[in-house]
Amino acid sequence: MEKIERELSKKDYFVISSMLFALFFGAGNLIFPLHLGQIAGHDWSFAAVGFLVTGVLLPLFSVLAIALTHSDGVYDIGLPAGAKFALVFMTLIHLTIGPLFGTPRTATVSYTVGIAPFVPKQFNQIGLLIFTTLFFIFAYLIAYKESDILSALGKILNPIFLILLFLVFFIVFLFPMGDPNAAPATKAYGSSGLSFINGFLEGYNTMDALAGLAFGVTIITAIRQMGKKEDKSVAIVTAKSGVFSMSAIGLIYVFLIIIGAMSLGRFKVSADGGIAFSQIVQSYAGIAGQALLAALIILTCITTAVGLVAAFAQDFHAHYSKLSYHNWLGISCGAAFLVANCGLETIIAWSKPVLMLLYPIAIVVIILSLGVHIFKKNKTMYVVSLFFTLIPAILDMIVSMPPVVSQSSFGLAIAHVRNTLPLAGQGLSWVVPMLVGLILGTIIFKIKAKNS
């Protein structure tokens, strides 16, 4: 029997795009570009280009990869490399952007930036405990009924967030703090090349390229609930909505980077973007500005947290089916609650090395998925490319670990080996091996195709 599909209206596309925006745009997406603007100074434009590559283009490509390969999620997109790889890849990505790092960060950042300034220092730990308890109960309740996620994120929470954010933009650009093109740059951003590379690496912190792969199941489910049944139709809707939502995110990133550079006309470089944001809003509107920032941060964090816990529960239920969606949802929220109370500094310190491992692997998978009509999901192509990329990625991971590992005799020995690779000093030692793997894999693929 032929599937009956309904045509989506412009309003439907707007709601899906709004949901995509809400899923991607979390606390890190507010504070990292703002901080980048401060440390890049007058080189903000080159840093912005690098940041947009990993913060916008890669997430967009990950959504398009889901669409082009007709995948339901991160497991499907890794399947051409083998079922074992796909399962490990899916598990690592969901644990990283989920209960180990990404999801806890949504709660700790929203508390640290939005709520902590109102709480006496001696009560900060108990304040964090109470806030994270309420935060993850709320996230659990919104994500409990899968069919309500689209409505809650796309129609309600995200539009409120955008209105508040653009109110901040309007005031800051109407009464600028300084000239971004005259702002001093830190040493790491002394040239256009360095600014681009460092901006590129800063984009890792958003985790959005990984999130784009993981959110696939949530996105696909929502689109099908709106009446699209055929894989091709779902892919087209995903691609169109992805382009619209990621373009909006890119525009906001540029605004935030410029504001960060402008703020140097009044403030020094802050320890992180959260502190910078707090200083900026308080300088314009005092305690009312801080209250507005708290609302902004909590809104954007809760929307992302809902998407993360839902995607985790959906994919883990699909591949570890002894537990239900609601069981995995509870585990995700509970684990994220525990990690969140370890503190933001601990979360960031241990997330960086994991991102140094997973991002290069995800980039290879995204490239091969975008070329699905050329490479035909060929297993040899995937295995060869991933093998050449994985080795330097593991070395980068060890070198970027906290001092307890990176400064040990083992860590220093690994650093010595890793530093022999091209671009190692820039944190991109995987780039040349990845290109070698892609070229070699293509050659083997072409030879096999010709012989067959």
Side-chain angles (χ1 to χ4, degrees):
M1 186 176 179
E2 188 176 344
K3 297 177 182 178
I4 301 175
E5 293 195 329
R6 78 177 185 89
E7 289 297 316
L8 299 187
S9 64
K10 289 182 180 179
K11 182 181 178 181
D12 292 327
Y13 274 103
F14 175 80
V15 171
I16 296 169
S17 299
S18 180
M19 181 196 72
L20 268 167
F21 182 99
L23 288 172
F24 277 113
F25 206 91
N29 306 78
L30 268 179
I31 66 176
F32 287 120
L34 194 69
H35 185 59
L36 178 62
Q38 284 199 325
I39 57 181
H42 59 79
D43 276 332
W44 66 267
S45 57
F46 295 103
V49 173
F51 190 87
L52 291 176
V53 171
T54 44
V56 173
L57 279 183
L58 274 180
L60 174 59
F61 289 159
S62 69
V63 172
L64 294 178
I66 292 287
L68 288 173
T69 55
H70 305 303
S71 300
D72 282 342
V74 64
Y75 177 85
D76 287 350
I77 210 166
L79 198 55
K84 290 182 179 178
F85 169 82
L87 188 61
V88 172
F89 186 54
M90 180 214 74
T91 302
L92 287 176
I93 283 185
H94 272 300
L95 287 175
T96 299
I97 66 171
L100 291 186
F101 303 115
T103 308
R105 194 176 72 182
T106 61
T108 52
V109 170
S110 55
Y111 176 79
T112 303
V113 178
I115 304 299
F118 298 107
V119 179
K121 286 187 178 181
Q122 64 267 33
F123 299 119
N124 257 335
Q125 196 58 47
I126 187 66
L128 177 63
L129 182 67
I130 295 171
F131 177 82
T132 51
T133 300
L134 297 173
F135 185 93
F136 286 113
I137 288 175
F138 190 50
Y140 178 86
L141 293 174
I142 295 179
Y144 188 84
K145 191 173 181 182
E146 294 177 73
S147 60
D148 287 344
I149 294 174
L150 176 65
S151 176
L153 298 185
K155 295 180 180 178
I156 303 170
L157 295 180
N158 192 55
I160 295 172
F161 162 74
L162 286 174
I163 291 170
L164 292 176
L165 182 62
F166 277 95
L167 175 62
V168 172
F169 286 165
F170 177 77
I171 295 171
V172 172
F173 282 100
L174 188 63
F175 305 102
M177 291 182 171
D179 181 2
N181 297 314
T186 57
K187 188 177 180 181
Y189 291 78
S191 68
S192 56
L194 284 174
S195 295
F196 174 84
I197 291 172
N198 284 306
F200 181 92
L201 293 174
E202 280 290 318
Y204 280 15
N205 289 318
T206 66
M207 301 188 189
D208 281 349
L210 307 182
L213 299 176
F215 285 149
V217 61
T218 305
I219 297 165
I220 300 301
T221 299
I223 293 172
R224 285 179 174 157
Q225 287 172 350
M226 297 186 78
K228 289 296 182 183
K229 307 298 181 182
E230 298 287 347
D231 285 344
K232 185 178 179 180
S233 300
V234 172
I236 292 172
V237 174
T238 304
K240 287 182 178 179
S241 303
V243 169
F244 183 81
S245 59
M246 295 313 299
S247 297
I249 289 175
L251 182 64
I252 290 173
Y253 282 160
V254 173
F255 285 162
L256 288 169
I257 291 170
I258 294 173
I259 290 171
M262 288 166 56
S263 70
L264 295 177
R266 190 173 300 178
F267 303 107
K268 294 180 179 179
V269 176
S270 303
D272 60 63
I275 295 172
F277 215 144
S278 181
Q279 288 176 333
I280 291 168
V281 295
Q282 286 194 47
S283 70
Y284 279 104
I287 197 69
Q290 182 60 47
L292 173 62
L293 177 61
L296 266 176
I297 290 287
I298 293 172
L299 274 173
T300 188
C301 285
I302 196 66
T303 56
T304 303
V306 169
L308 289 171
V309 296
F312 179 92
Q314 287 167 334
D315 263 355
F316 268 58
H317 171 57
H319 299 287
Y320 302 102
S321 56
K322 287 187 178 180
L323 295 179
S324 68
Y325 167 80
H326 295 125
N327 291 149
W328 281 119
L329 187 66
I331 290 171
S332 177
C333 291
F337 162 77
L338 293 175
V339 175
N341 281 277
C342 293
L344 185 58
E345 288 186 11
T346 303
I347 294 170
I348 292 175
W350 285 100
S351 66
K352 182 180 177 181
V354 178
L355 294 175
M356 295 296 280
L357 170 68
L358 288 180
Y359 251 84
I361 297 171
I363 288 171
V364 172
V365 172
I366 290 169
I367 289 172
L368 295 176
S369 298
L370 293 175
V372 62
H373 297 300
I374 301 173
F375 303 118
K376 311 294 183 184
K377 297 185 179 180
N378 180 263
K379 185 172 183 178
T380 301
M381 185 76 204
Y382 275 75
V383 171
V384 172
S385 303
L386 286 167
F387 175 77
F388 274 83
T389 307
L390 181 61
I391 295 174
I394 292 174
L395 300 181
D396 277 344
M397 176 187 69
I398 295 171
V399 171
S400 60
M401 282 184 172
V404 65
V405 176
S406 61
Q407 296 303 310
S408 67
S409 56
F410 170 73
L412 293 173
I414 293 295
H416 179 72
V417 174
R418 176 253 201 181
N419 290 339
T420 61
L421 295 172
L423 301 176
Q426 287 74 43
L428 299 172
S429 63
W430 54 270
V431 171
V432 174
M434 179 196 72
L435 294 174
V436 171
L438 287 171
I439 293 169
L440 184 59
T442 302
I443 293 171
I444 297 173
F445 167 67
K446 292 293 184 182
I447 292 173
K448 283 189 174 183
K450 185 177 180 181
N451 290 339
S452 63

